[in-house]
Amino acid sequence: MPARSEKERSGGDRIVVNMYYAYIIKSKKDDSLYKGHCQDIVERLKQHNRGEMMSIKNKISFILIYFEKFDTRTEAIKREKYFKTAAGRRFLKHILAP
């Protein structure tokens, strides 16, 4: 089920809004990082750990080490792409440092 948040309209009505995530998972097998985006971060991690992503199936099992939340899929994809750049890798190294 997609992640959702509620926002209040003026007048007190609530609307449900889909959320999107850019995330980083780490392989317990070799400490490699994988960057991605999704709508349901819990289900996506389960998919990775079930081996449903062929490109990283040999690196099972994974842990979620970082994520950011966005209102649109476009924003999440843009952030995922940033994580894959040299500047993004430097940012993650700084953020994820012990």
Side-chain angles (χ1 to χ4, degrees):
M1 181 173 206
R4 299 185 187 279
S5 71
E6 291 186 355
K7 292 188 178 181
E8 204 168 302
R9 290 185 184 171
S10 61
D13 295 338
R14 293 202 178 268
I15 56 172
V16 176
V17 179
N18 288 330
M19 299 303 296
Y20 299 85
Y21 300 89
Y23 64 89
I24 312 298
I25 57 175
K26 182 178 180 179
S27 170
K28 290 181 182 180
K29 184 175 183 180
D30 65 4
D31 290 336
S32 60
L33 301 181
Y34 177 83
K35 296 103 178 167
H37 73 277
C38 65
Q39 240 185 321
D40 185 335
I41 202 162
V42 173
E43 181 58 30
R44 188 65 168 160
L45 181 60
K46 289 177 185 178
Q47 290 172 344
H48 283 296
N49 283 319
R50 287 192 304 255
E52 294 180 21
M53 281 63 241
M54 294 304 291
S55 62
I56 58 172
K57 186 176 184 174
N58 64 333
K59 297 178 183 268
I60 293 172
S61 71
F62 297 95
I63 57 170
L64 179 66
I65 60 170
Y66 184 77
F67 70 91
E68 294 178 7
K69 196 174 357 176
F70 299 93
D71 291 329
T72 69
R73 182 173 184 256
T74 301
E75 292 172 304
I77 292 171
K78 184 177 177 181
R79 191 62 169 172
E80 174 192 352
K81 288 180 180 181
Y82 169 74
F83 290 155
K84 295 177 179 180
T85 66
R89 288 189 302 273
R90 283 191 302 270
F91 167 79
L92 291 170
K93 186 176 181 178
H94 175 74
I95 291 295
L96 302 174

